Amino acid sequence: MWGGSKNEPGINTRIIQDIFKAIGEDKRGEFSLSLSVLEIYREDIKDLLVEGKTKLKTIKACGDIPGLTELAVSSYEEVLDLLQYAASRRTTRATAMNEHSSRSHSVVTVKLTRRGVSSKLQLVDLAGSERVKRSEVTGEQLKELASINKSLSALGDCIAALSVKAKHVPFRNSRLTQLLSDSMSNKAKVLMICCAAPEPENVKESKNTLRWAQRSAACELGMARRNSLSESQLQENKSGKGATKAAPTKSQVSRRPLSAARVN
């Protein structure tokens, strides 16, 4: 999802490239675009656009996180530089199944605003569920695995509740579901892509993935609703009080120290 180059981009970069293409073809008015990137590692939220181990704890009901870096962006190339920097800071480990296994869930949030109408796109890369017997993890990696499987189970519980239109959906059972509650409500459209390996030795994992996908496909969230900013919010944006930070230049991003972690 994160992988790829400019010639062969991953899903995230392809989607954002399409957004800028659509903006360039739209003649109805100016757009403002902002970007934030985070990972959820063992129930801790880490801002991937700033240096250091920045942990954020509070998640508002709308899915917003106070203190999370949100950068104003104006071009596809600018976003690509930021995504590459964020990817270099994501937590990965080597396991018996994957040399560069993602040990966290990542969330890329793009906010698009035009004439008081605000849209939010969240691109979520879930860490894959693993079996201890096959991944052969121990110690801290075993704790990482337990946290990944627990949060995926919580997401599955929310999907199950949504599919039967339950009065209570347990979004607060994990950081992941709490963060995605706004994007999984009847105000949103959701697209889920599940990856299954074709190798015979992965048949059990593939079956579990397909069962999970089948349960997800049974969800009906209803019709997406328009989300408009209030007059006071519009005035704040015009005065600069509600403006996001300007994105660093390409040279500023390239000077930031990058960790040795890599992502799929």
Side-chain angles (χ1 to χ4, degrees):
M1 186 162 179
W2 281 73
S5 61
K6 288 186 177 181
N7 295 326
E8 296 181 343
I11 293 176
N12 283 356
T13 47
R14 288 186 184 191
I15 290 173
I16 293 172
Q17 190 175 34
D18 284 347
I19 290 174
F20 278 105
K21 182 180 178 181
I23 290 175
E25 295 173 351
D26 195 306
K27 307 300 181 183
R28 292 177 295 172
E30 293 185 357
F31 292 81
S32 62
L33 211 67
S34 66
L35 178 80
S36 62
V37 190
L38 62 85
E39 73 170 358
I40 301 174
Y41 172 72
R42 291 175 61 174
E43 290 301 290
D44 285 330
I45 300 173
K46 179 182 175 183
D47 191 336
L48 295 182
L49 290 182
V50 293
E51 296 179 16
K53 297 181 179 179
T54 306
K55 293 182 181 180
L56 305 168
K57 296 183 178 180
T58 306
I59 302 178
K60 293 184 177 181
C62 60
D64 290 339
I65 303 175
L68 180 66
T69 303
E70 188 176 326
L71 300 177
V73 291
S74 58
S75 69
Y76 165 69
E77 290 74 20
E78 193 174 16
V79 173
L80 189 60
D81 286 335
L82 291 171
L83 288 180
Q84 288 174 345
Y85 173 70
S88 72
R89 302 189 66 244
R90 189 176 175 189
T91 305
T92 63
R93 300 275 191 272
T95 71
M97 296 181 67
N98 191 342
E99 185 180 356
H100 304 292
S101 175
S102 300
R103 312 311 289 172
S104 66
H105 310 300
S106 72
V107 182
V108 176
T109 302
V110 180
K111 291 183 180 179
L112 178 65
T113 304
R114 183 178 69 87
R115 294 181 181 177
V117 179
S118 176
S119 300
K120 179 172 71 174
L121 172 67
Q122 288 190 309
L123 305 170
V124 185
D125 184 15
L126 298 174
S129 178
E130 297 176 359
R131 289 186 295 149
V132 177
K133 184 178 180 180
R134 294 208 60 203
S135 60
E136 299 179 5
V137 295
T138 58
E140 288 299 308
Q141 287 180 287
L142 185 59
K143 294 179 181 178
E144 292 171 349
L145 174 58
S147 179
I148 290 169
N149 289 344
K150 182 179 179 181
S151 60
L152 290 175
S153 177
L155 179 59
D157 291 340
C158 290
I159 290 172
L162 288 167
S163 65
V164 297
K165 296 179 171 56
K167 291 183 178 180
H168 173 69
V169 181
F171 285 122
R172 298 184 67 84
N173 285 1
S174 78
R175 291 286 190 185
L176 175 65
T177 52
Q178 191 177 0
L179 177 64
L180 298 181
S181 59
D182 186 49
S183 293
M184 294 177 66
S185 69
N186 59 4
K187 294 182 292 184
K189 292 183 179 179
V190 179
L191 171 65
M192 182 176 291
I193 301 174
C194 293
C195 300
E199 297 85 1
E201 60 269 23
N202 293 321
V203 65
K204 288 187 176 180
E205 285 80 3
S206 296
K207 283 184 176 180
N208 288 336
T209 298
L210 293 174
R211 290 192 191 100
W212 208 81
Q214 186 178 36
R215 183 166 61 166
S216 301
C219 276
E220 292 183 5
L221 301 182
M223 186 176 293
R225 294 183 296 182
R226 181 169 173 163
N227 178 26
S228 299
L229 296 177
S230 65
E231 287 298 323
S232 60
Q233 289 174 313
L234 283 172
Q235 291 301 321
E236 281 187 1
N237 286 346
K238 289 179 181 179
S239 64
K241 293 180 181 179
T244 56
K245 298 177 182 178
T249 63
K250 182 175 181 179
S251 60
Q252 288 174 320
V253 172
S254 63
R255 286 200 298 268
R256 290 172 172 171
L258 304 182
S259 65
R262 289 188 294 172
V263 359
N264 301 337

